[in-house]
């Protein structure tokens, strides 16, 4: 059990924290099935809307992995061993203490959560204390007591620990759901195309049709389309600002109407409905999503708009938490703080979403990608606080989705605040990191590491969306291989006619479907506490399961970029680093899910790029070397004795999946599901 006694916090039989102050509290026994599950809290001397409580000193021998909000919108990973290094806005702290062997290793998990109208986050102090911040975001919402602020649990398997903990939390809190209880959007099993990097805000009907046609003619037909930012009617009310300052007002632009802008009303198409009908009939698109921000647009809605008047909008000015500005400031928030946000009356927000979504549904749109979600945490003053306001908007959004679209067709984006994460009752898909940025060469390896680590937490509540990429890009193979392991959707943002079908055909079947892995792709256990971007020696391994096999992708992310959580300016010169590592079938967690009772531990391991086939026992390993920005994908198939004599006629190769067509009549003796499944 987890115990707080004589100034020490004991977790999994080990001392985790020492010198715990007397104001720290522990509520143990919160889950019968998990005796280690408990909540840490504290009591202050006076009420306030923001407290910083000490929990004590981290004991020697523990190393940690933090998922923290690098920017207001996005989490990033950081590893270390000293408490002072735990960054502000930490939303997950996974700790490991090794013993004499693997069996003696203990993992502790600390999840700062939502407690009533308050939200907790962890941070280290210069005095090497572990602290938690407890804040409401509204000066009028105050408390002295943090009761269930930081969830603590322990175990011997970090992945099972995370899954068990999120399930326990979802039952106790009742404000969010585990991913297993949510409806999976059908579009995830189909290849997609997003208009963003192809056009940015210049998206238009002609370009959309050209992009769909060129992909279809090349043999990678998109069945899923996202019409990203650029289709709405917006206004910039700051045109009198001189040219030097005009650029910073872009993020303060506001929505004036719920219908499409003039680009989508003309010769190319009569209206949005005409375009959607045409692309579904002509290009075989099954699902069309439209983009909008949680508040309508980046700067919210125009308060003087006749259309918006019914929603009682008003202009408010965001106030960021000290934690948000302790890491990296964001240019969008700087703009919104200066020019304000047109916020809709919380009592009218469902009506707003219902009007927007009912219109989109009426013209054939199937779902929405909702962006800029974390802005809500800065608007809580006067509305009962950040937690209450976020939850009001999130639940209204989910109810509108359920009413207006046939499936749970919602992608949440820029939504990594725990206010949102722990308010997601129905939302099943969320972006896992900062955008794919094709023009930023030093961010490519960071993107892969970021999405994999963030999926440790996000993957228990959402299906993580690892974002689009471009197939004709110098990093296309690197990104494409990662998307195949992600367990989420696969879509690109290619410009029309600018494609590499050699890459796409490793991801997309001729009918436009994809082979999606079973879980969220996550780092292997031996990678969890290493820095795969900057330590100069560690490879990143990402594991997942398919129906009848497993896959491990090995990526060299070293030398190509720096983590941007190093706030000081560091000029980076990309270098090519060759790193040697090891791959083992035991890197795959829960391999027993796809093995039979008589499996003796032997596997066939196929390397996708080198086309090499090895035969390994579960705990054996092979050596590999990779240079910066290269990867290898291994398909790991448990060998069943009855299949050993079956010859192979043909090999169908997709990232992470190796499909064998069997001959000599052996196919007829196999189970039905094996006949039609890539093994």
């Amino acid at each position: 059990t987890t115990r707080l006694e004589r100034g020490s916090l004991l977790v999994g039989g080990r001392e985790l924290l020492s010198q715990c102050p007397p104001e720290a509290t522990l509520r143990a026994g919160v889950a019968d099935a998990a005796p280690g599950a408990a909540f840490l809290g504290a009591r202050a001397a006076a009420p306030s809307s923001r407290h910083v409580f000490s929990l004590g000193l981290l004991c020697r021998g523990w190393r940690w992995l933090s998922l923290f909000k690098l920017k207001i919108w996005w989490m990033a990973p950081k590893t270390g061993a000293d408490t002072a290094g735990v960054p502000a806005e930490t939303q997950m702290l996974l700790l490991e203490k090794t013993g004499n062997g693997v069996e003696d290793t203990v993992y502790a998990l600390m999840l700062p959560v939502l407690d009533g109208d308050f939200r907790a986050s962890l941070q280290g102090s210069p005095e090497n204390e572990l602290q938690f911040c407890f804040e409401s975001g509204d000066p009028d919402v105050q408390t002295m007591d943090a009761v269930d602020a930081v969830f603590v649990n322990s175990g011997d398997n970090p992945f099972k620990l995370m899954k068990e903990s999120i399930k326990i939390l979802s039952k106790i809190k009742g404000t969010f759901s585990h991913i297993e209880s949510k409806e999976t959007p059908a579009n995830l099993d189909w290849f997609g195309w997003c208009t963003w990097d192809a056009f940015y805000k210049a998206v238009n009907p002609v370009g959309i049709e050209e992009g769909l046609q060129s992909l279809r003619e090349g043999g990678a037909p998109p069945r899923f389309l996202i019409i990203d930012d650029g289709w709405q009617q917006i206004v910039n009310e700051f045109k009198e600002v001189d040219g030097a300052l005009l650029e910073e007002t872009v993020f303060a632009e506001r929505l004036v109407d719920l219908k499409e802008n003039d680009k989508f009303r003309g010769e190319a198409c009569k209206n949005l409905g005409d375009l959607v009908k045409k692309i579904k009939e002509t290009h075989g698109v099954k699902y069309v999503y439209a983009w909008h921000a949680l508040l309508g647009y980046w700067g919210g809605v125009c308060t003087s708009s006749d259309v918006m008047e019914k929603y009682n909008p008003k202009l408010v000015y965001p106030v960021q938490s000290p934690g948000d500005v302790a890491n990296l400031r964001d240019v969008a928030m700087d703009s919104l703080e200066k020019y304000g946000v047109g916020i809709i009356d919380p009592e009218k927000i469902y009506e707003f979403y219902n009007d927007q979504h009912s219109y989109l549904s009426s013209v054939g749109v199937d779902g929405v990608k909702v962006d800029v979600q974390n802005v809500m945490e800065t608007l809580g003053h006067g509305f009962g606080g950040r937690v209450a306001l976020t939850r009001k908007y999130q639940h209204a959004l989910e109810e509108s989705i359920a009413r207006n679209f046939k499936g749970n067709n919602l992608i949440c984006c820029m939504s990594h605040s725990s206010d949102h994460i722990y308010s997601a009752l129905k939302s099943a898909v969320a972006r896992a990191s900062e955008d794919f940025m094709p023009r930023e060469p030093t961010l490519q390896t960071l993107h892969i590491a970021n999405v994999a680590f963030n999926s440790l937490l996000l993957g228990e509540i959402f299906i993580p969306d690892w974002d689009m990429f471009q197939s004709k890009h110098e990093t296309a193979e690197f990104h494409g291989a990662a998307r195949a392991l992600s367990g989420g959707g696969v879509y690109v943002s290619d410009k029309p006619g600018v494609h590499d079908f050699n890459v796409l055909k490793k991801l997309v079947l001729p009918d436009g479907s994809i082979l999606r892995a079973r879980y969220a792709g996550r780092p292997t256990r031996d990678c969890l506490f290493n820095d795969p971007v900057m330590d100069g020696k560690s490879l990143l391994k990402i594991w997942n399961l398919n129906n009848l096999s497993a896959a491990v992708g090995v990526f060299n992310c070293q030398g190509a970029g720096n983590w941007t959580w190093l706030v000081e300016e560091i000029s980076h010169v990309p270098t090519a680093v060759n790193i040697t590592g090891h791959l083992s079938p035991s890197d795959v967690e829960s391999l027993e899910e796809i093995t039979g009772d008589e499996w003796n531990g032997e596997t066939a391991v196929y390397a996708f790029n080198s086309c090499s086939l090895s035969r390994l026992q579960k705990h054996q390993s092979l050596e590999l070397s990779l240079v910066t920005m290269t990867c290898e994908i291994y398909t790991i198939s448990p060998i069943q004795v009855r299949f050993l004599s079956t010859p192979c006629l043909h090999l169908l190769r997709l990232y992470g999946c190796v499909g064998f067509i069997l001959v000599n009549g052996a196919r007829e003796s196999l189970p039905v599901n094996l006949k039609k499944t890539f093994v």
Side-chain angles (χ1 to χ4, degrees):
T1 59
T2 297
R3 305 192 306 278
L4 180 61
E5 53 187 40
R6 294 188 294 275
S8 293
L9 180 68
L10 303 176
V11 175
R14 312 286 177 89
E15 187 181 25
L16 177 64
L17 298 174
S18 65
Q19 299 183 39
C20 301
E23 61 266 24
T25 62
L26 180 77
R27 187 167 79 89
V30 299
D32 293 338
F39 284 104
L40 285 167
R43 181 172 177 81
S48 176
S49 62
R50 186 175 190 270
H51 299 278
V52 176
F53 295 108
S54 172
L55 289 172
L57 307 180
L58 183 64
C59 296
R60 291 172 60 88
W62 291 89
R63 56 178 181 166
W64 49 260
L65 163 66
S66 162
L67 295 182
F68 73 105
K69 278 205 306 171
L70 170 66
K71 292 182 181 180
I72 187 172
W73 321 110
W74 307 112
M75 290 192 299
K78 186 181 180 183
T79 57
D82 64 312
T83 319
V86 176
E89 287 293 304
T90 288
Q91 299 190 141
M92 183 207 81
L93 195 65
L94 179 67
L95 304 104
E96 178 193 64
K97 188 166 188 177
T98 56
N100 297 325
V102 176
E103 294 80 8
D104 296 323
T105 299
V106 172
Y107 296 93
L109 177 64
M110 303 183 76
L111 294 173
V113 292
L114 309 182
D115 187 10
D117 290 329
F118 282 72
R119 177 248 187 192
S121 61
L122 293 169
Q123 60 190 38
S125 76
E127 295 75 30
N128 226 34
E129 290 181 324
L130 184 63
Q131 302 174 332
F132 76 91
C133 175
F134 198 62
E135 58 191 335
S136 71
D138 187 340
D140 294 329
V141 179
Q142 301 186 359
T143 190
M144 295 173 60
D145 296 303
V147 181
D148 291 346
V150 180
F151 179 82
V152 182
N153 200 3
S154 61
D156 58 6
N157 181 311
F159 303 99
K160 291 181 180 179
L161 173 61
M162 182 65 68
K163 184 175 184 176
E164 172 190 80
S165 297
I166 293 298
K167 285 188 171 182
I168 291 171
L169 269 174
S170 69
K171 291 179 181 178
I172 293 174
K173 296 292 185 179
T175 60
F176 73 100
S177 304
H178 187 271
I179 184 58
E180 289 180 357
S181 65
K182 297 180 179 181
E183 178 186 357
T184 299
N187 66 279
L188 292 179
D189 293 317
W190 298 93
F191 174 59
W193 180 53
C194 178
T195 62
W196 180 241
D197 290 313
F199 308 105
Y200 298 112
K201 290 186 181 181
V203 60
N204 61 85
V206 172
I208 289 174
E209 287 211 74
E210 289 175 349
L212 292 171
Q213 182 172 342
S214 61
L215 284 164
R216 180 168 57 88
E217 290 177 347
R223 303 303 187 205
F224 166 49
L225 169 69
I226 300 176
I227 303 175
D228 214 294
D229 190 0
W231 69 271
Q232 295 170 291
Q233 292 187 50
I234 59 173
V235 63
N236 188 323
E237 299 178 281
F238 311 99
K239 292 182 179 179
E240 70 279 3
V241 177
D242 64 85
L245 297 177
L246 185 60
E247 184 177 347
E248 72 179 45
T249 70
V250 170
F251 292 106
E253 292 176 333
R254 299 179 184 131
L255 188 70
V256 295
D257 201 296
L258 301 180
K259 297 184 178 181
E260 64 274 18
N261 58 39
D262 290 343
K263 289 185 296 181
F264 292 82
R265 294 175 177 271
E267 294 183 5
C269 64
K270 297 176 183 177
N271 50 46
L272 183 60
D274 182 45
L275 174 66
V276 171
K277 183 174 184 291
K278 186 187 301 184
I279 61 178
K280 287 185 175 182
E281 292 178 350
T282 304
H283 303 287
V285 174
K286 294 177 177 288
Y287 305 96
V288 176
Y289 278 35
W291 179 99
H292 70 78
L294 190 67
L295 286 173
Y297 201 68
W298 282 87
V301 301
C302 179
T303 56
S304 60
S305 164
D306 292 340
V307 174
M308 300 301 160
E309 183 180 3
K310 63 185 288 192
Y311 310 117
N312 298 338
K314 70 175 182 177
L315 189 64
V316 297
Y317 291 84
V319 178
Q320 294 193 70
S321 163
D324 285 327
V325 297
N327 295 317
L328 288 184
R329 293 190 67 94
D330 185 79
V331 62
M333 283 309 306
D334 290 341
S335 175
L336 296 177
E337 283 181 324
K338 182 174 182 179
Y339 298 104
V341 175
I343 188 172
I344 292 163
D345 183 344
E347 298 305 316
K348 296 284 187 176
I349 189 57
Y350 173 76
E351 184 180 357
F352 171 76
Y353 289 145
N354 184 57
D355 289 348
Q356 175 74 91
H357 297 153
S358 63
Y359 171 69
L360 290 172
S361 179
S362 73
V363 297
V365 171
D366 302 283
V368 288
K369 171 185 172 183
V370 180
D371 223 333
V372 204
Q373 296 201 11
N374 281 4
V375 71
M376 301 308 300
E377 70 177 69
T378 70
L379 305 175
H381 45 290
F383 292 103
R386 55 187 290 172
V387 173
L389 189 64
T390 297
R391 188 165 294 153
K392 181 87 172 179
Y393 271 64
Q394 182 64 27
H395 291 176
L397 175 66
E398 292 179 342
E399 289 305 312
S400 178
I401 297 295
R403 177 174 179 174
N404 291 291
F405 300 116
K406 293 180 180 178
N408 189 19
N409 294 346
L410 168 65
I411 301 172
C412 296
C413 194
M414 302 175 76
S415 57
H416 283 189
S417 174
S418 55
D419 309 58
H420 166 77
I421 293 170
Y422 296 127
S423 296
L425 277 171
K426 299 179 181 179
S427 310
V429 179
R431 269 276 300 283
S433 81
E434 176 78 91
D435 295 12
F436 163 72
M437 296 185 180
R439 303 173 184 174
E440 300 288 346
T442 63
L443 297 184
Q444 306 308 312
T445 55
L446 273 67
H447 185 99
I448 304 304
N450 217 336
V451 292
F453 277 91
N454 286 347
S455 293
L456 286 164
L457 173 59
L458 296 178
E460 297 298 339
I461 302 172
F462 307 96
I463 297 170
D465 178 340
W466 288 18
D467 202 18
M468 64 199 94
F469 72 103
Q470 290 185 326
S471 69
K472 202 172 183 65
H473 190 272
E474 57 267 26
T475 63
E477 292 273 0
F478 202 70
H479 279 283
R483 300 311 187 276
L485 291 160
S486 73
V490 175
Y491 58 108
V492 295
S493 55
D494 293 357
K495 295 180 183 295
V498 185
H499 317 289
D500 185 339
F501 289 102
N502 290 325
V503 172
L504 292 177
K505 289 180 180 179
K506 296 171 187 176
L507 290 163
V508 187
L509 295 172
D511 65 351
S513 63
I514 64 166
L515 301 178
R516 193 165 59 85
R518 181 176 294 185
Y519 299 119
R522 289 159 289 176
T524 57
R525 193 182 303 203
D526 59 342
C527 291
L528 290 176
F529 301 94
N530 298 333
D531 183 351
V533 172
M534 291 183 60
D535 71 8
K537 60 183 180 181
S538 300
L539 296 172
L540 173 63
K541 294 186 288 184
I542 302 172
W543 69 275
N544 215 323
L545 290 175
N546 298 314
N547 284 341
L548 296 169
S549 66
V552 176
V554 189
F555 299 81
N556 185 343
C557 299
Q558 303 282 351
N562 283 340
W563 284 117
T564 48
W565 46 251
L566 295 173
V567 178
E568 62 269 24
E569 290 294 328
I570 298 178
S571 59
H572 178 73
V573 179
T575 57
V577 182
N578 190 70
I579 298 179
T580 299
H582 294 85
L583 180 285
S584 170
S586 62
D587 288 332
V588 180
E589 302 286 335
S590 307
L591 193 58
E592 64 277 3
E593 289 185 20
I594 59 171
T595 61
D597 294 337
E598 299 177 0
W599 182 53
N600 65 3
E602 193 170 22
T603 66
V605 179
Y606 178 77
F608 184 88
N609 291 320
S610 65
C611 299
S612 61
L613 185 64
S614 304
R615 196 164 169 171
L616 295 178
Q617 282 290 331
K618 180 178 179 180
H619 292 288
Q620 289 181 314
S621 63
L622 54 83
E623 187 176 89
L624 71 151
S625 294
L626 293 171
V627 72
T628 296
M629 206 96 67
T630 62
C631 62
E632 181 62 278
I633 307 297
Y634 293 89
T635 299
I636 300 171
S637 298
I639 294 176
Q640 307 293 335
V641 174
R642 61 185 180 276
F643 296 157
L644 285 179
S645 62
T646 302
C648 179
L649 175 66
H650 179 67
L651 184 67
L652 178 61
R653 286 159 38 84
L654 288 90
Y655 289 126
C657 294
V658 182
F660 295 97
I661 296 178
L662 307 170
V663 294
N664 292 347
R667 183 176 186 274
E668 298 307 314
S669 65
L670 300 179
V672 173
N673 65 339
L674 186 57
K675 297 179 185 179
K676 298 181 180 179
T677 305
F678 294 107
V679 186

